[in-house]
Amino acid sequence: MSAKLLMVFLPCFLAGCVSLDPHYDRPKDAVNTTAPTGDAYRGLQGTPGNYRDIGWQDYVLDTHLRQVVAMALDSSRDLREAVASVKSAHAQYGEQRADLFPTLSAGVSGTRSRALTGEGNQTALSNTYSAEGSVSSFELDLFGKNQSLSRQQYETYLGTLEGARSTRLTVLYNTVDYWLQLAADRSNLVIAKETAESARQSLEVTRKRLQNGVDSMVDVASAETTYQSAQADVASYTTSVAQDKNALDLVVGKSVPENLLPQSIESIGNALRTVPAGVSSDALNNRPDVLQAEHNLKAANANIGAARANFFPSISLTASGGVGSSDLSSLFKNGAGIWSFAPSISLPIFKGGYNVSYLNYTKAQKEYYVAVYEKAVQTAFQEVADALARRGTINDQLTSQRNNVAASQTYYHLADLRYQNGVDTYLNALTAQRTLYTARTSLVSVEQAYYQNLNTFYKVMGGGTALKESELKL
């Protein structure tokens, strides 16, 4: 009986004797990770933080924004699509891996027949019963073809997993970005309404001065131009606020309650944590998009091994063993041993050049994925360098713009006083009003850029992506 079991399970110990996969080396020198230099990067000091280990709950400090991000990570349809793709890739890996093992089956069969005995028309009944375990057409993986295909599918699964991490980070980034955009546009809407109201009051004053013969129609027309322009901006920003809310609802996957929305860019304070930033080869190589590109490259490398194995013979085994008896009641007690063993070998001789062409295809695919990987690394470096350039200058720009707003307010206040007291023309007051309006909206843009830079750094440095599969809700 032990010999029969050995015959049945022998294929399990013969699988995967040789691997024909090329030796894998990670491509090097795709980009020089030396920190960029120049005026834009001055003042950047400190060791880059390990963004991958900083969870979003520790990075997002605003309590309202935290709740919005949590809603997005729970309800985003983009993230659900990514998670479903991971599950599908894992299932396909399981299907491919099953080829490494024999298909075992067991069955009991019985036959009852009546036939002539050969003497006259006499007949006799006969019974045959058997119980067998069998291995059906199992291919011995002597040259590692199935192992290579299994590795290829496994790397594809890991690449899909990194893609889900990348999607999760993108959902987080977009949620914060749309939330900040809404805050900025609400601030711009307030500024536009205040400017429109100020322009309306100036228009009324100018019309009265026209009636008193102090101002001309040119002054009235100029005042009305400013008023109508501000009214147009009010309408434009009202539309932008509504569209920002729609975009936020889409990325979150549900309608965000009003109490979780920002009132203005000035009201959010320290919404995001400031973490030291810099160029790090470890951070670049461990970004989810870069890891995804590398897993795809490894999958292509394993596919070459499978293509090489096509040039070698394949050996298949079909075997069965069990017991047989003419009496069902004694089948497992006194039954006779029965077995069969049917090995087969197939040697590729002529396929019209298919194997050579397929091998060349897999090699070309590897070259393609090498280029994709190197481009991913280069893109990662460029994104980090751009974010660093913004980080190195944003504080100076923010300080200057705030000073500009203060100076513009003083300029407008004095110019308006001079106009009302008849010392200066309305043209200077109008110019001062427009200067203040531009300075205030520019300050909103710079404040938005400050927060967006923090958000961008978290994304380009692979923030919070050191996650277990369970944290992706797989």
Side-chain angles (χ1 to χ4, degrees), residues 190-370:
V190 170
I191 294 172
K193 286 181 176 180
E194 291 176 353
T195 302
E197 176 60 22
S198 176
R200 184 191 64 78
Q201 294 175 4
S202 297
L203 178 59
E204 291 180 356
V205 171
T206 305
R207 284 172 175 170
K208 291 180 180 179
R209 290 168 65 91
L210 174 65
Q211 295 173 359
N212 295 328
V214 178
D215 286 345
S216 65
M217 281 298 299
V218 173
D219 295 326
V220 174
S222 297
E224 186 162 5
T225 298
T226 302
Y227 171 70
Q228 296 299 340
S229 177
Q231 284 290 90
D233 287 345
V234 169
S236 176
Y237 284 123
T238 300
T239 300
S240 296
V241 167
Q243 292 175 341
D244 294 340
K245 175 60 165 59
N246 294 336
L248 182 61
D249 288 345
L250 177 62
V251 72
V252 169
K254 62 173 64 174
S255 180
V256 180
E258 177 64 31
N259 65 310
L260 299 182
L261 301 178
Q263 297 305 309
S264 64
I265 196 72
E266 300 86 2
S267 67
I268 61 179
N270 297 322
L272 302 174
R273 175 182 169 187
T274 302
V275 181
V279 176
S280 167
S281 58
D282 180 68
L284 296 182
N285 290 329
N286 286 287
R287 278 187 20 158
D289 57 334
V290 175
L291 289 175
Q292 182 179 17
E294 184 173 14
H295 285 305
N296 290 338
L297 174 57
K298 289 180 178 179
N301 191 71
N303 215 22
I304 293 177
R308 286 175 173 176
N310 287 335
F311 290 89
F312 294 87
S314 60
I315 302 175
S316 298
L317 299 179
T318 300
S320 65
V323 293
S325 174
S326 60
D327 188 356
L328 180 61
S329 62
S330 62
L331 176 63
F332 296 101
K333 294 181 179 179
N334 301 315
I338 57 176
W339 60 270
S340 68
F341 182 62
S344 65
I345 183 169
S346 175
L347 178 65
I349 297 177
F350 178 74
K351 285 192 174 183
Y354 171 83
N355 288 342
V356 174
S357 297
Y358 184 68
L359 178 59
N360 291 336
Y361 167 77
T362 58
K363 290 180 178 179
Q365 282 293 100
K366 181 179 178 180
E367 293 176 3
Y368 167 80
Y369 283 111
V370 167

Side-chain angles (χ1 to χ4, degrees), residues 89-224:
H90 189 270
Q92 289 176 325
Y93 164 62
E95 290 179 12
Q96 184 61 55
R97 190 171 181 271
D99 289 341
L100 298 176
F101 304 95
T103 300
L104 304 179
S105 59
V108 177
S109 62
T111 302
R112 181 179 177 86
S113 62
R114 183 176 184 180
L116 294 173
T117 62
E119 298 178 1
N121 291 326
Q122 294 183 357
T123 61
L125 294 175
S126 63
N127 300 315
T128 303
Y129 302 96
S130 64
E132 294 181 329
S134 63
V135 176
S136 302
S137 300
F138 174 64
E139 181 180 353
L140 297 182
D141 201 22
L142 298 179
F143 301 99
K145 178 180 179 180
N146 290 334
Q147 287 280 4
S148 295
L149 292 175
S150 181
R151 276 191 293 272
Q152 184 263 340
Q153 196 63 56
Y154 181 64
E155 293 296 340
T156 299
Y157 154 67
L158 292 180
T160 308
L161 181 62
E162 293 301 332
R165 289 191 172 99
S166 183
T167 299
R168 185 177 188 273
L169 184 56
T170 299
V171 168
L172 190 153
Y173 170 83
N174 288 338
T175 301
V176 175
D177 186 62
Y178 287 132
W179 194 83
L180 293 173
Q181 185 64 55
L182 177 59
D185 282 338
R186 281 188 164 182
S187 290
N188 285 327
L189 178 58
V190 170
I191 294 172
K193 286 181 176 180
E194 291 176 353
T195 302
E197 176 60 22
S198 176
R200 184 191 64 78
Q201 294 175 4
S202 297
L203 178 59
E204 291 180 356
V205 171
T206 305
R207 284 172 175 170
K208 291 180 180 179
R209 290 168 65 91
L210 174 65
Q211 295 173 359
N212 295 328
V214 178
D215 286 345
S216 65
M217 281 298 299
V218 173
D219 295 326
V220 174
S222 297
E224 186 162 5

